[in-house]
Amino acid sequence: MRTAVITGMFDPFTRGHENLVRRSLDLFDQVVIVISRNAEKQGFLPDRVKLDSIWACFPDKRVQVVLLEGLLAEFVKQFENPVLVRGARNGTDFEYEAQLRAINMELGGIETVILPSSGSMAHISSTYARELIRYGRPLNGAVPTPAANVINRYLNEKD
């Protein structure tokens, strides 16, 4: 069994992320979506909202969603034949992902596959989606509908 591990902050989970997961489901037996934390960045959405919004998009039993505690290179060792799957929207993303690939290969011998974004999604980023949220704009087109529903519930309860 081959396991695709897709990691990111997913703050929030976008249509580009959803597309990457769906494409990975076509290529791998299972997909593990790993929500990472970045000590240098304050998260916009709480972890619970991130988890719930991603779960809402993937009721498929071949998809798991987890919060990362520790190093990714250590975490992926628990899976049989793990492969990191990363998306790249442009050349700058590709260069960054290639650097991460080298780090993960050095730390854990983990292979990485970098998939280019689907053309219609190259402009979608979590930063863009956060700006839509900040200014009260609809998330249509930037965030999958099930995820947007979870985020909107959270925002309404927060107010």
Side-chain angles (χ1 to χ4, degrees):
M1 177 183 310
R2 292 295 282 190
T3 300
V5 178
I6 300 174
T7 184
M9 289 188 62
F10 305 116
D11 196 24
F13 189 77
T14 68
R15 284 189 51 238
H17 296 133
E18 177 191 39
N19 180 266
L20 184 65
V21 172
R22 293 200 188 285
R23 290 167 58 201
S24 296
L25 283 167
D26 289 340
L27 301 170
F28 298 92
D29 300 306
Q30 71 173 349
V31 174
V32 178
I33 302 169
V34 178
I35 301 172
S36 303
R37 294 183 178 113
N38 185 333
E40 297 175 13
K41 292 183 183 179
Q42 172 90 20
F44 183 74
L45 295 171
D47 290 340
R48 182 82 250 155
V49 173
K50 293 177 190 180
L51 281 164
D52 290 348
S53 64
I54 298 170
W55 275 120
C57 296
F58 298 102
D60 189 323
K61 295 195 183 319
R62 296 187 309 139
V63 177
Q64 297 176 42
V65 186
V66 298
L67 290 171
L68 180 62
E69 301 291 339
L71 285 174
L72 179 64
E74 293 297 320
F75 172 80
V76 298
K77 289 180 182 178
Q78 69 184 288
F79 299 100
E80 183 180 343
N81 300 311
V83 175
L84 293 174
V85 176
R86 304 288 296 176
R89 291 173 294 156
N90 53 43
T92 303
D93 280 1
F94 184 84
E95 287 179 23
Y96 175 73
E97 297 301 340
Q99 291 173 7
L100 289 180
R101 179 205 170 277
I103 290 168
N104 286 308
M105 183 58 79
E106 184 175 314
L107 287 176
I110 303 153
E111 190 55 76
T112 300
V113 172
I114 303 171
L115 295 176
S117 71
S118 295
S120 65
M121 299 195 199
H123 70 287
I124 299 173
S125 68
S126 291
T127 301
Y128 169 58
R130 285 192 300 273
E131 288 298 300
L132 292 174
I133 293 168
R134 276 191 186 98
Y135 294 104
R137 301 294 304 264
L139 294 171
N140 310 4
V143 174
T145 299
N149 292 340
V150 171
I151 292 166
N152 288 329
R153 257 193 317 275
Y154 162 73
L155 293 172
N156 290 334
E157 290 170 4
K158 189 176 120 175
D159 289 339

